[in-house]
Amino acid sequence: VLLAQLGADGAKSLTGKITDIAGNASAPGSIINFTLDSTLPLPVFSAATDDVGTVTGALTSGARTNDTSLALTGTCEAGSTVNVYNGATLLGAATVSGSGWSFAATVADGTTYQFNVKETDVAGNTSTATSNFTVIGDTTAPTAVFTAATDDVGTVTGALSSGARTNDTSLALTGTCEA
């Protein structure tokens, strides 16, 4: 039987018989009931959630995170297997519960990740990868360097030295920091 002869996806029943070269036919065999599922699953990558530090919640693709164990979640067909990738590199299998999946992704400082998932349903159909969800690990605290306090009020103006006195209630402060 060819797949095209089975028709559309859904419940099917098959039986068969054998006819020898002399034309003798066997009795029909046992009926085999099954469900034809030739449709690729469509996994959804719903969120990458940061739950560490002062900035928490769902990230947008391209965001930075200081969470070294990022919670990835999405939806899938019940009973499917969902594999999580960084680009083309398999990171591992997600935990599937009902029609949802979750995965704790390890994130390292200074590394850019392109998270995506592929789903294999119970019939063995494997989806294409979801679109990449980009996350950048950023666990290093920024270094701020204070370079000057400038007085621009009154008769004594200019850069102040450490411990100096000023009558300027609105100093101009300058420095450098992480971009």
Side-chain angles (χ1 to χ4, degrees), residues 126-143:
T126 300
S127 72
T128 58
T130 60
S131 296
N132 285 337
F133 190 96
T134 304
V135 174
I136 303 162
D138 186 357
T139 60
T140 303
T143 302

Side-chain angles (χ1 to χ4, degrees), residues 82-150:
V82 175
N83 286 318
V84 180
Y85 296 82
N86 176 21
T89 303
L90 176 63
L91 299 178
T95 300
V96 175
S97 178
S99 61
W101 62 265
S102 62
F103 185 82
T106 301
V107 175
D109 187 47
T111 303
T112 299
Y113 296 88
Q114 302 290 327
F115 294 120
N116 65 77
V117 298
K118 291 181 185 177
E119 175 183 354
T120 302
D121 66 16
V122 294
N125 301 307
T126 300
S127 72
T128 58
T130 60
S131 296
N132 285 337
F133 190 96
T134 304
V135 174
I136 303 162
D138 186 357
T139 60
T140 303
T143 302
V145 178
F146 178 69
T147 57
T150 305

Side-chain angles (χ1 to χ4, degrees), residues 24-95:
N24 301 309
S26 69
S30 299
I31 294 176
I32 299 172
N33 296 308
F34 62 96
T35 301
L36 176 62
D37 176 1
S38 61
T39 304
L40 294 180
L42 298 171
V44 175
F45 189 114
S46 300
T49 304
D50 180 326
D51 62 358
V52 171
T54 57
V55 179
T56 60
L59 300 175
T60 57
S61 186
R64 293 178 173 272
T65 183
N66 63 344
D67 191 340
T68 58
S69 183
L70 201 59
L72 308 180
T73 57
T75 60
C76 61
E77 290 180 18
S80 288
T81 300
V82 175
N83 286 318
V84 180
Y85 296 82
N86 176 21
T89 303
L90 176 63
L91 299 178
T95 300

